[in-house]
Amino acid sequence: MKTRLLALMLTLVNLPNTMANTPEENRIISAGSSITELIFALGAQDQLVAVDVTSKSFNKENELPQVGYHRQLSAEGLMSLNPTHIVGSHEMGPDATLQLLDSAGIEVETVPSGDSKVDLFERIDAIALLTGTQEEATILKTELKDILDRMSQRHIEQPPKVMFAMLSKGRPATIAGRNTTIDTIISLAGGTNPAYDHLQSYKPVSAEAIVDMQPDYLLVTHRAWDALGGFDGIINAFPLLAATPAAANQNIKPIHGSAIIGGLGLASLDLADELYNDFSQLHPQTQPQ
């Protein structure tokens, strides 16, 4: 699917631009990877003057200034870039920075960041309205509808239990329950989240509780994977996890944090496809889609 989405993005970039706001009028700071990916997908990247650190995969050549983490923005640094807009999710902040920007006449745009198809399409529409790329948005949503419809038809006779944990040495693991982007991704990949019935959003839990839920897969961020020293380092830091099927079968898997930040997005769908392909290899009852 990643190849198809990349091809779609290139097609959209080359469409005739009928923007209500021209690139000269818009100077956008994107505060979140889920925002940046859609600005690129809609062919409006020329309107960007800076991105936050979670968007670094779109700024590999460092062509754009980086403004830091989207939750810890500095008003002085942002205003020095003379933006007309700063766009982010409800996670963008702190509030004091956003209030200063608003007082300075900079449009602070908060776009939907939920975890459903409706939320994703509303985010696309909001960014398209800002950037004047409504025609491109119509094409993008049609393609994404087809992808999501295909994903919803996936079926695994014995769905693997898949859990996401934020791990940091010396602290309890934080687990994702229902109403999280990663829970939606797990479902789209054909798995089930054993924490779904136990908690909402992200909550710290004991290692014993994780063992009780017996996940077949344990997902962690690449940052945690690297900081803890990979599979062996994670087991050394959280030895009780060795009693899970995920550890016994070497199914502790690092994922890119950008796929789960700011709501369901294009990177989220790529991750769902990647996980589904992994599950398909180990579960012969899978009906591929």
Side-chain angles (χ1 to χ4, degrees):
M1 186 189 74
K2 186 178 293 187
T3 302
R4 291 212 317 255
L5 280 179
L6 178 59
L8 174 67
M9 290 168 66
L10 292 174
T11 300
L12 293 176
V13 168
N14 292 320
L15 280 174
N17 202 331
T18 57
M19 295 187 303
N21 300 308
T22 67
E24 290 76 18
E25 293 170 327
N26 276 349
R27 293 179 54 83
I28 298 171
I29 296 175
S30 176
S33 60
S34 65
I35 311 298
T36 307
E37 69 176 7
L38 291 178
I39 290 175
F40 272 79
L42 293 171
Q45 61 268 32
D46 288 347
Q47 300 181 39
L48 287 171
V49 295
V51 296
D52 82 317
V53 68
T54 70
S55 304
K56 60 184 178 182
S57 64
F58 296 93
N59 194 31
K60 293 179 180 178
E61 302 300 323
N62 295 317
E63 296 177 352
L64 293 167
Q66 186 172 287
V67 297
Y69 187 50
H70 65 288
R71 292 178 183 267
Q72 300 170 343
L73 299 172
S74 165
E76 182 178 354
L78 298 175
M79 287 190 288
S80 69
L81 296 166
N82 192 31
T84 57
H85 301 78
I86 179 167
V87 187
S89 71
H90 70 282
E91 298 174 339
M92 177 173 61
D95 288 341
T97 292
L98 302 183
Q99 290 168 6
L100 282 172
L101 295 175
D102 183 66
S103 298
I106 298 166
E107 295 288 336
V108 179
E109 303 280 351
T110 303
V111 300
S113 59
D115 307 311
S116 69
K117 179 178 77 172
V118 171
D119 296 319
L120 172 57
F121 283 16
E122 286 181 353
R123 191 183 320 133
I124 292 171
D125 286 339
I127 294 173
L129 181 62
L130 170 63
T131 58
T133 53
Q134 290 91 335
E135 181 181 351
E136 292 87 342
T138 298
I139 297 171
L140 179 60
K141 288 189 295 183
T142 298
E143 175 73 9
L144 291 175
K145 181 181 182 301
D146 291 342
I147 291 170
L148 287 162
D149 287 346
R150 172 178 57 82
M151 287 183 166
S152 68
Q153 295 171 14
R154 288 172 171 168
H155 177 69
I156 299 178
E157 289 294 334
Q158 294 182 328
K161 293 190 289 185
V162 187
M163 181 179 291
F164 173 79
M166 291 190 289
L167 302 179
S168 182
K169 193 170 184 178
R171 297 182 180 179
T174 296
I175 300 302
R178 61 188 178 275
N179 297 335
T180 58
T181 301
I182 189 62
D183 180 72
T184 300
I185 292 169
I186 290 169
S187 178
L188 290 172
T192 62
N193 179 5
Y196 182 93
D197 293 327
H198 298 279
L199 54 95
Q200 180 171 302
S201 189
Y202 290 90
K203 297 290 189 300
V205 302
S206 66
E208 291 88 348
I210 297 175
V211 173
D212 286 343
M213 287 185 267
Q214 289 287 282
D216 298 304
Y217 290 82
L218 183 64
L219 309 178
V220 300
T221 63
H222 272 287
R223 182 176 181 179
W225 178 271
D226 294 338
L228 292 170
F231 180 89
D232 291 337
I234 288 172
I235 298 303
N236 286 336
F238 299 87
L240 288 180
L241 294 182
T244 64
N249 296 310
Q250 301 262 318
N251 282 334
I252 298 179
K253 179 179 175 65
I255 63 171
H256 291 290
S258 59
I260 63 174
I261 294 174
L264 186 71
L266 307 187
S268 309
L269 302 185
D270 283 338
L271 176 57
D273 258 359
E274 179 184 336
L275 293 175
Y276 177 72
N277 290 335
D278 286 349
F279 302 161
S280 299
Q281 294 175 16
L282 298 177
H283 298 268
Q285 297 295 326
T286 302
Q287 298 174 2
Q289 298 290 333

